[in-house]
Amino acid sequence: MELRLYDTLTREKRVFTPLNPANVRMYVCGPTVYDFAHIGNARPLIVFDVLFRLLRHLYGEAHVTYVRNITDVDDKINDRAVRDFAGLPLNEAIRKVTEQTEKQFHEDADALGCLPPTVEPRATEHIAEMRELIEKLVAGGFAYVAEDHVLFSPQAMNAANSVLPRYGALANRSLDEMIAGARVDVAPYKRDATDFVLWKPSKPGEPSWPSPSGIRVEGRPGWHIECSAMSWKHLGKQFDIHGGGIDLVFPHHENELAQSCCAFHENRMANFWMHNGFLQVEGEKMSKSLGNFVTIRELLADWPGEVLRLNMLKTHYRSPIDWTLKGLEESSKILDGWYDFIGDCEPAPTSDHSFVEALRDDLNTPSAIARLHQISHPPVAGRMMAGVTMLGDRTGTDAAAHLKSSAILVGLLLPTNSERKAKNIATSGVDSSAVELLLAARTAARARKDFKESDRIRDELAAMGVVIKDSKEGTTWEIAR
Ligand code: AMP
Ligand code: ZN
């Protein structure tokens, strides 16, 4: 069966046919590195990682190129550098902020089970390409220089009689609507209210680079041109998929599309534009002022990354998602159930057919997860047959192996139970030798029938976040989640 994906530009689910199946190309807008990423930022990270994994599954690992950039030039970065490293020269302070944030971001992405993208370009390493694009746009009459800025003119784009798409097509808005909605205090150097910045002069001390021709002072790029330059450099003028959160549709993606198509006189930039829906927390928009702003890092202190990942994938990527504690608890239970079901079995070489079918249908992860649930809860009537657990025509071990390999396909980690236990202990901060000592004391108390003392020790362990299980073989323990 084919892969079908929803395209924001044409507003329909279409069969995905790669421009070149030997090199399927995807670009996703990455983080602006100035602070810890929040759980909303984790959504595109996880969603497009699932798509990356699915594409690798369908076309072969060596045949997919995933580019996710790092925006390391931005006012927010400069502000943070001034705030956190006031004593340092600005450029040095900026380097500290971006390096530190990038490291945190990689650690978070790792903990969420996301594969590194094939290429992770930095904006500051692609200034030459940005300048080249800007000069093409000026030469083509789509952009102009004014007061040391370069501005892109959507009106010029829509007036051009050519193959170009219409400015506003992605966001599904008309230029007239945008003009009417434009703010009154439009910068004086703009010819039209809808014109946007490709390049601007740097303030003294700020990072700066030689400007495109026609401007003598040094400057820096606007945000939108960065992605046009990096996607061009690493994926070419046209590629298969461009992704990001729904908030990026306008103006960021609309402007990227305009820049790239006008610079190269092409009718399209990406074949599919994909956008994840927004995430809110406990029914409210996440914001620092509401006090419900939550970073990936804070959540990782309480939950394993795989619980966060499963919790994200329980909702279809295009729907809004309400991130709740209740949802996290449920996801944790589901994972526990799967671990119990698979035990330490080896994954099967192929994953479950219905599971992959669900993913091929515009990344229908809720349906794929429901399928895993079905595998781990075989119908009662089929469960016992001559002492072997059956699922349809499969034995229990077979089903467990399929569950495992399917879950691995979408990066729901699923290491072995023992690996998982070790990982939980490592991240819990619990001292395992202290636990062993208490357990020995409890065993001794039970041997002398001092049940008051053995209960007290069990409670003490529970307070440390440790649960114990007594069986014929002895007592085992693990971190409560
Ligand atoms: P930013 O650093 O704000 O540019 O965001 C990085 C990525 O996270 C972009 O793809 C955004 O669309 C996405 N994003 C930001 N906030 C949310 C949210 N609350 N829900 C879903 N995606 C988000
Ligand atoms: Zn971008």
Side-chain angles (χ1 to χ4, degrees):
M1 203 197 84
E2 58 231 346
L3 168 63
R4 290 161 65 80
L5 297 172
Y6 183 86
D7 174 23
T8 309
L9 180 61
T10 51
R11 286 176 279 283
E12 60 180 358
K13 218 194 272 188
R14 294 204 319 269
V15 172
F16 175 77
T17 314
L19 294 166
N20 171 10
N23 185 17
V24 181
R25 288 159 288 161
M26 169 162 82
Y27 185 93
V28 175
C29 299
T32 303
V33 282
Y34 69 99
D35 204 350
F36 280 106
H38 58 67
I39 190 61
N41 302 137
R43 195 165 192 198
L45 250 183
I46 295 172
V47 162
F48 290 103
D49 179 69
V50 169
L51 181 55
F52 181 37
R53 286 169 183 269
L54 179 65
L55 292 170
R56 283 159 50 108
H57 177 77
L58 300 176
Y59 296 95
E61 285 187 15
H63 302 294
V64 185
T65 307
Y66 174 22
V67 179
R68 189 185 62 213
N69 74 292
I70 292 210
T71 296
D72 58 353
V73 46
D74 189 273
D75 283 339
K76 289 188 284 260
I77 300 175
N78 300 352
D79 295 347
R80 187 55 64 106
V82 170
R83 193 193 84 178
D84 290 357
F85 301 97
L88 290 181
L90 184 58
N91 280 306
E92 221 173 289
I94 287 172
R95 200 173 57 246
K96 279 202 184 295
V97 170
T98 54
E99 279 176 5
Q100 185 179 311
T101 314
E102 208 180 300
K103 183 166 166 286
Q104 290 159 358
F105 175 75
H106 286 146
E107 287 165 1
D108 290 349
D110 237 30
L112 294 171
C114 298
L115 297 171
T118 322
V119 192
E120 199 171 39
R122 283 185 194 78
T124 53
E125 289 167 5
H126 295 77
I127 304 285
E129 286 83 0
M130 295 178 207
R131 235 179 352 241
E132 197 178 330
L133 280 184
I134 293 172
E135 285 169 2
K136 279 184 199 292
L137 290 170
V138 174
F142 299 105
Y144 59 94
V145 176
E147 296 183 26
D148 298 331
H149 292 69
V150 185
L151 293 132
F152 183 94
S153 165
Q155 319 252 30
M157 175 178 176
N158 280 5
N161 195 3
S162 66
V163 295
L164 297 174
R166 176 180 67 80
Y167 184 86
L170 184 67
N172 200 14
R173 298 187 204 181
S174 77
L175 204 45
D176 286 343
E177 270 167 16
M178 292 183 213
I179 296 167
R183 293 221 321 270
V184 202
D185 54 341
V186 177
Y189 46 79
K190 287 189 182 179
R191 285 184 196 159
D192 291 298
T194 47
D195 296 351
F196 63 87
V197 168
L198 298 174
W199 189 266
K200 58 187 166 186
S202 299
K203 297 195 191 86
E206 274 182 355
S208 66
W209 293 268
S211 294
S213 59
I215 303 176
R216 267 191 247 127
V217 296
E218 292 211 329
R220 59 196 176 112
W223 173 35
H224 316 305
I225 198 72
E226 297 178 8
C227 289
S228 284
M230 288 183 272
S231 59
W232 169 41
K233 171 79 185 287
H234 297 282
L235 298 176
K237 293 175 186 170
Q238 288 191 3
F239 47 94
D240 297 293
I241 299 169
H242 192 128
I246 189 94
D247 57 320
L248 296 188
V249 172
F250 191 84
H252 186 52
H253 287 170
E254 188 76 58
N255 292 352
E256 276 187 42
L257 174 67
Q259 293 161 165
S260 296
C261 290
C262 291
F264 304 122
H265 297 277
E266 299 266 358
N267 64 348
R268 66 179 148 203
M269 180 185 190
N271 248 351
F272 285 79
W273 289 83
M274 293 180 64
H275 296 96
N276 64 267
F278 238 50
L279 173 148
Q280 53 174 15
V281 173
E282 305 285 356
E284 290 196 272
K285 186 173 183 270
M286 188 166 40
S287 85
K288 285 199 168 134
S289 56
L290 282 174
N292 64 351
F293 187 91
V294 44
T295 63
I296 300 172
R297 193 55 62 99
E298 286 162 340
L299 285 163
L300 284 171
D302 293 334
W303 305 92
E306 58 196 332
V307 171
L308 306 185
R309 188 175 176 99
L310 173 63
N311 202 47
M312 199 66 90
L313 296 175
K314 280 193 310 196
T315 306
H316 186 255
Y317 78 92
R318 281 194 283 125
S319 305
I321 179 169
D322 189 20
W323 189 268
T324 62
L325 182 60
K326 191 163 161 278
L328 281 165
E329 285 164 353
E330 271 168 25
S331 301
S332 182
K333 277 208 194 89
I334 295 174
L335 267 179
D336 284 343
W338 290 351
Y339 279 111
D340 284 347
F341 185 72
I342 60 172
D344 274 335
C345 82
E346 293 294 318
T350 55
S351 46
D352 180 78
H353 181 68
S354 315
F355 177 83
V356 181
E357 290 278 278
L359 294 177
R360 280 175 185 266
D361 180 18
D362 193 30
L363 239 48
N364 192 341
T365 53
S367 161
I369 289 166
R371 175 65 192 155
L372 296 187
H373 187 77
Q374 226 176 43
I375 299 178
S376 62
H377 292 81
V380 181
R383 275 198 184 172
M384 294 299 289
M385 203 183 272
V388 184
T389 312
M390 297 292 291
L391 171 71
D393 57 351
R394 284 193 195 137
T395 65
T397 329
D398 192 13
H402 275 81
L403 178 96
K404 186 164 185 176
S405 57
S406 303
I408 284 173
L409 201 157
V410 289
L412 284 167
L413 298 179
L414 296 182
T416 61
N417 265 330
S418 45
E419 276 174 273
R420 183 181 187 225
K421 199 175 146 190
K423 196 166 156 228
N424 285 349
I425 294 169
T427 53
S428 67
V430 166
D431 176 354
S432 47
S433 55
V435 174
E436 297 294 346
L437 278 175
L438 283 166
L439 280 183
R442 180 170 171 273
T443 308
R446 277 158 61 102
R448 62 175 192 269
K449 302 217 179 331
D450 183 353
F451 296 116
K452 211 172 148 208
E453 175 63 2
S454 78
D455 284 353
R456 189 198 63 73
I457 295 175
R458 192 197 50 218
D459 292 347
E460 187 179 338
L461 285 164
M464 290 163 65
V466 171
V467 281
I468 51 181
K469 279 188 194 144
D470 294 310
S471 71
K472 270 183 275 163
E473 285 78 37
T475 305
T476 56
W477 64 279
E478 60 185 40
I479 302 298
R481 286 283 176 192

